[in-house]
Structures are given as C-alpha cells and as structure tokens.
Amino acid sequence: MITFHKETNTITLQTQASTYQMKIDATGVLLHTYYGPHIRGGDHSRRIGREDRGFSPNPSEAGLDRTYSLDTLPQEYASSGVGDFRIPSIECDCSDGSHTVDLRYVRHSVDRGKYSLEGLPAFYAGEDEDWESLRVLLRDVCSGLEVELLYGAFPRYDLITRAVRLRNRGTAPVELTRVMSLCLDFPTLDLDFVTLGGAYGREREPVRMPLTQGVHSVGSVRGSSSHQQNPFVMLCDRAATEDSGCCWGAALVYSGNFLAQAELTQFHNTRLAMGIHPFHFRWRLEPGAAFTAPEAAMVFSREGFGGVSRRLHRAIRNNLCRGPWKEERRPILINNWEATMFHFDADKIVSIAETASKVGVEMMVMDDGWFGERNDDFRGLGDWDVNETKLPGGLGPLAERIGALGMKFGLWVEPEMVNEDSKLYRAHPDWAFQVPRRPKTRGRHQLVLDLSRQEIRKYILENLRATLNSADIAYIKWDMNRSLTDVWSATMPAHRQGEIYHRFVLGVYEILETIHREYPNLLIEGCCGGGGRFDCGMLYYAPQIWCSDNTDAIERLRIQYGTSLCYPCSTMGSHVSAVPNGLTHRCVPLHTRGVVAQAGAFGYELDLNELTGAELEEVGRQVDHFRRIWDLVALGDYYRLGDPFQEEPFYAWMHVSEDRSRALVGVVMGVGHANPIRRHLKMKGLDPQRDYVVNGEVYGGDALMYAGLALPVLDEYEAVQYDIEAI
Ligand code: DGJ
C-alpha cells in the first residue's frame, strides 16, 4: 500500500514485512526517512537529528539556520554540487558549463498496477496482483531538468522497484554524465556490504565486507554485466546470517556497464547507489528529450540472506521472466559443445541425439560451429548461413531427423559479434566497433557489432528470422563471447559517442524483444562465455542463463550457491558433463554430477555414446527423477544448508514446495577424511507440525529441522538426494 500523509508530508510504501518512507521537507527537498522492518505508521523523520556540523553548508532557504544541510540529511535522490558531498545520484554538464543539479519536489501521484519502461526490461504485475506505483516529480529550477522517480510496490514479495525518467524542460541541451537508478540512505548502523565477485569459470563468488568510512565500489565497464562482478548487492546487519538478521538486497535490471557503491559517511550513515556506470557515459538531452534509467529492484528481509534470496527468486520467476517457459517444464536438453567443440557434422549430432533419446533426454542443442566457415573460433561469426559441408541440406533435414527421435531441436547463436574473416566483415568493416586510426582490440579473435545502429540490428533480425523459419527450432542459446572495447560508432557525431555503451544494450534488448514477440514459444537461454551476463535484464527475455563454462560438479556447488543469492534455480543452466572435467581435470561420480545439475535448468553436455551401459542406465534414472522433481526445483523455495566456500565436510541445499508438502534435499561430500565423523543434516522450510516420509521412514518436520537427519558416511565427492513427502 502506498499512502500520502498530508500533515507530515510523508509518502509511505508498505509491503508485508517492510516499510519504506520519504518526506517532502519544508524546502521541497525529498528526504528518505526509513527502509526496514514493517512499522504500522508514523513520521520517521523524527529520528533524523539536526546539528550545526562544521563544513556542512546550508542551502539559501535555511537562512541563518546552520543545522539544515543536505550534507547530513538522508536523501531520496541526491542532488549534486549543492552541499551533499556523498555519492551523487545525478551529474550533468549544463549548457553554461556548470554541473549543478538541485532537485526539489513538484508533485506526486499513486496508481494501481505497475509502471513499465519503454525499451527496457522491468518487473511486471501479474493478473490480479495488488501492485501500486508511485511517481514523484522533482525539478532543477535553473536548468529545467525534471527527474521523475518511479516506484512499484508488490507487498506479497516485499518487493519495491525503482526507476528514473529524466526530461529536459529547459531551453538548452543538458549532458547527463551520471544517472543512478537507486539511492538509499541508512541512518547510523553497522552494515556489511555483500557483492558477487568472481571471474570466468568462477562466477558469482560472494564477497562480504564490513563497511568502513569511504566509498566501496563494484561494477562492470566491460559492456556486459560481467563474470567479475554482478549487478546484485546486499547490505546487511553485521550479525546477519543465512537465516537471521536484517538484509536489504538490490538488483539492477540491466545487462551493460553498471556501478554499485556503498558509502559510509563521516557520521557513519550509509548510502547505497546503483545504476549505469558513468564510465564513458554521456547522454545528450536536447530540450524536450527524455532519458530513462534502468530499473532497480529492492527486497528487504529480517530472515537473513535466505529471506532476501527467496523473495527475489519468487519475484524474478513470477514477475520478471515471461512467456510459457516461466511455468512449463523446460525440456531436458543435451548440448554437443563439450563433446565435439567445432568438430561435428549432422551424423554426429544425430548419433548423440539417438542415444540421448533412448534415455529420455528431450532436446538436442547444436552449439557453435554450424554456420559459415566456422570450423574454429577464428572465423565465421556474422555469416548465419548453414555450413552445408557439415549439415547437407541445411537445418531443416537435421531438425527432422532429431524430431523423428521424438526430440526437440535447439541451436546456438552469437548475434552480437563478427569475425574479420567473414563475408559480413568484408562487406561492412565499419559495422564493428573500432575507433578511427587506432588499432583494433580483439577478444576471442572477434569484434563487436555496433548494435546502436538500426541497419545492423535489422541485419541480425533478418538472419535470426531466416534461421528460425528454416527449421523446427524450439530453443536458442544466445551467446556473447567478449567484452566491449573500442566503443565508437561510425554514425554518431563526436559529442554523442558517450551514448554508445548504453545504446548497444538497448539494441540487444530491442532484438530480443522482437524475437520474444514474434516467436512466443521459443525458449531462449542466455550465455556469455558461461555466466558473464547473468542479470535481471537478460532474464526478462531469457528465462534461463548458462551459469558457467565450469561444469565441474564440485566447482558448480560454489557457482550455483553464489548465483542463488539473487537468482532462482529455474534460471541456472546446469548440465552433467564428462570426466575428467575439461577445466579442472577432476573426476566426480556421475550420480553426484546429476544431483548438482538437477538443482538448476537440467541437461547434459557430453557424448552419451561414450558412456557404459550402467552409466546410461544411471542417466535414464536421473532424467526420470528430474521429471518428477522439476516443479520443486523450478517453482519451490530454495534453502541453502551450508556454505561451500567454507571448509565444511559437506554442502547441502533443499527445495521446498510452496505448500511445504514436498521437498528435495541434495548433499555432496567435500574432501574425504579417514575415520569420518557422522554428521546430522538440519533441514529448513518444512512445517514443524507435519510428518514427512524420508527414505521410507516417518519424521516430524520439527525433528528434521531441529534435530536433523543422520547422514550416511559418504566418500569424497559422493552425493545423496532425499525426496521428502508430507503424510
Ligand atoms: C561459450 C559458451 O559458454 C559455451 O558453452 C559454448 O557455447 C561456446 N561459447 C561456443 O563458442
């Protein structure tokens, strides 16, 4: 519920477990007064102290009152250059060369439903859901710059979304150099800052740091959200754990350069800011023109990290992912990449599919190498015509052969890229990002297409349509295998080159939106050299994303754990691959590989023809089992029962149905020790009043959660899975 209280000039957003409040003060500055556990009512500005603080300047309206300073007051969206010296929300170059933005309240309105953002991904309200939206208009009187703050509140998930729309109502152009989507001020509190770091093959490793005075920053300037940092951050009580303590999670619904900063100020207040990274960002707003900053989603929980994750998981699954696949069971797929790399032909693909179909696998995905001269990664990107030497007759006949096995057919694409050794590049060398008179910077021998240009987007769309119409294709894996460099567009004037990073992302979104609209049943899996673009922006178009090229099951425990802080299991592309693993050279039992992969969008990534009969039977059992548990994994609540980054003897997790009548527990043993200690596994999320059957025995939900289940002695990397059902 969103309410305005006239006497106190406060606007309050209430969700089931949280309260968020702002106040229009006497000078029109929009103060942020509270975000935290639900409070019934009141003006929370009463807890904001005002003292004369040396070197904290006072706006002219303060007159002789030296206690009123933007430097010390919590702000809803921070101005710049007028006395708030903390992280600004907005910065610009005005036509007179000044950089000042001084925002004051103009008006606000509340509507039922959820606002939407033109050209950008955003959370949406489902049918009959009680969403409300708030719009608050602020204005910088001198430049005429208007800032509309948009809020969406969904009480059931304790979700508050935010976005910002700017419009130049002045008579001269304004150049935006920084536009944050989120600004959040906290009073004196000892908070930790939690981020997701990592690298290629080690995506989303949680980092937790106590905030000390100064600015703590994470972000990406790679053009994608990146393997190295992720656009999800959390602030939490210093004592917060997986299961208890106040936590504030924030995710940016964006797939390009981002910045997230947490600042602990001189008075030990905290400011969190999140938005497009100001790196190389400059957006020219002509008089009358508008700019929309991407959405940020916030959730609050008093139930620790797990509480934040489960709220975000539900919101992402139900109010961000779209299309039939957000609810329907996704096909269990097999992908040929790790089995063949570029070296395959139609018969090889069919031979993998044949064996896979016999054990119940439902879709064959043909990865990189099916088009142009693509026999290695030096050439071919950009030429989306079928390589007829490998696939005589094109995709149609192959898809038919796969279809005849009772399987669906899926395909890899990498539409954003071009190799210099391609027909496309030879015809249009200026279509790739490249700064004039500078040498090219290559990544995986490829260049990035300038998707800010309409004719290039058109080329990509025409090729995608031709491919999708040429055969019965149920799925595409949308890959992106390098970071952006040399970002310069041949058709933009010099003073607008600062728009290109963002226009590139808008271009990707436009293509994905068109494909989503024209092929509503097509399942899209996002990918970026593994998990380099795993973010809420992509999930709006692609309900699953390849989590990492690292398919070692033991490493995946960590990657999937870190990913699960924000993203639901249904979104994590997760496959059983061959051993020894290609990246780590580790051998993990097939059963364990299955148990770990079943905690996500399940599939296979190997040549099943190389397995023994007994192993194939095991694969058949895994496939059957996943069919029975997919709804728990995809639609249930997720509980982490440990931390794979700690040197714990085993790692476990569980999925619990919304009505708590079913659960699935996965346990994987870590490094083995002689004469091992017997462990008990304390479960979570069950109904303490109900009885459950585990392995044919009846236990109380309370017993399973508080006393725990005795685990068998397991060998190194061995796994066990428990299907749990209420009586
Ligand atoms: C990177 C992906 O993560 C892999 O799964 C595979 O599709 C390769 N690209 C193909 O080039």
Side-chain angles (χ1 to χ4, degrees), residues 93-96 139-146 167-175 284-289:
D93 291 349
C94 298
S95 59
D96 59 5
R139 183 178 295 146
D140 174 50
V141 175
C142 290
S143 66
L145 189 66
E146 275 186 1
R167 191 173 289 278
N168 182 358
R169 298 275 184 208
T171 51
V174 170
E175 298 206 344
R284 188 174 168 90
L285 268 191
E286 298 292 347

Side-chain angles (χ1 to χ4, degrees), residues 470-544:
S470 71
D472 192 1
I473 296 170
Y475 157 111
I476 54 171
K477 175 177 171 187
W478 182 296
D479 207 348
M480 189 242 192
N481 281 304
R482 61 157 291 177
S483 303
L484 270 60
T485 58
D486 311 318
V487 173
W488 187 89
S489 179
T491 53
M492 270 287 188
H495 65 283
R496 301 198 67 166
Q497 293 292 334
E499 299 176 17
I500 303 303
Y501 269 110
H502 181 53
R503 287 192 184 277
F504 174 84
V505 180
L506 294 178
V508 174
Y509 289 158
E510 186 191 284
I511 298 170
L512 282 165
E513 183 62 28
T514 310
I515 294 295
H516 173 80
R517 231 184 18 246
E518 292 181 10
Y519 301 88
N521 295 320
L522 182 73
L523 173 60
I524 304 181
E525 175 153 356
C527 178
C528 174
R533 201 162 57 178
F534 207 122
D535 56 63
C536 285
M538 287 308 287
L539 288 171
Y540 187 65
Y541 310 97
Q544 66 191 53

Side-chain angles (χ1 to χ4, degrees), residues 416-568:
E416 297 156 69
M417 301 291 161
V418 64
N419 283 120
E420 288 152 271
D421 189 354
S422 68
K423 285 186 279 177
L424 179 67
Y425 187 79
R426 283 186 282 276
H428 300 285
D430 70 310
W431 279 20
F433 282 135
Q434 199 185 327
V435 182
R437 297 177 301 284
R438 287 188 186 274
K440 298 181 191 78
T441 312
R442 299 180 184 87
R444 206 196 188 196
H445 321 293
Q446 61 199 52
L447 303 177
V448 185
L449 288 172
D450 176 1
L451 298 192
S452 73
R453 289 170 61 177
Q454 207 266 331
E455 70 272 37
I456 304 179
R457 298 198 296 275
K458 186 164 169 270
Y459 170 86
I460 291 173
L461 263 172
E462 277 166 5
N463 277 276
L464 280 170
R465 286 189 189 111
T467 302
L468 290 170
N469 296 342
S470 71
D472 192 1
I473 296 170
Y475 157 111
I476 54 171
K477 175 177 171 187
W478 182 296
D479 207 348
M480 189 242 192
N481 281 304
R482 61 157 291 177
S483 303
L484 270 60
T485 58
D486 311 318
V487 173
W488 187 89
S489 179
T491 53
M492 270 287 188
H495 65 283
R496 301 198 67 166
Q497 293 292 334
E499 299 176 17
I500 303 303
Y501 269 110
H502 181 53
R503 287 192 184 277
F504 174 84
V505 180
L506 294 178
V508 174
Y509 289 158
E510 186 191 284
I511 298 170
L512 282 165
E513 183 62 28
T514 310
I515 294 295
H516 173 80
R517 231 184 18 246
E518 292 181 10
Y519 301 88
N521 295 320
L522 182 73
L523 173 60
I524 304 181
E525 175 153 356
C527 178
C528 174
R533 201 162 57 178
F534 207 122
D535 56 63
C536 285
M538 287 308 287
L539 288 171
Y540 187 65
Y541 310 97
Q544 66 191 53
I545 298 178
W546 184 225
C547 222
S548 177
D549 275 355
N550 187 346
T551 53
D552 175 308
I554 301 305
E555 300 266 279
R556 272 298 183 112
L557 291 175
R558 291 182 164 197
I559 295 167
Q560 293 173 194
Y561 168 92
T563 306
S564 78
L565 280 191
C566 178
Y567 306 101

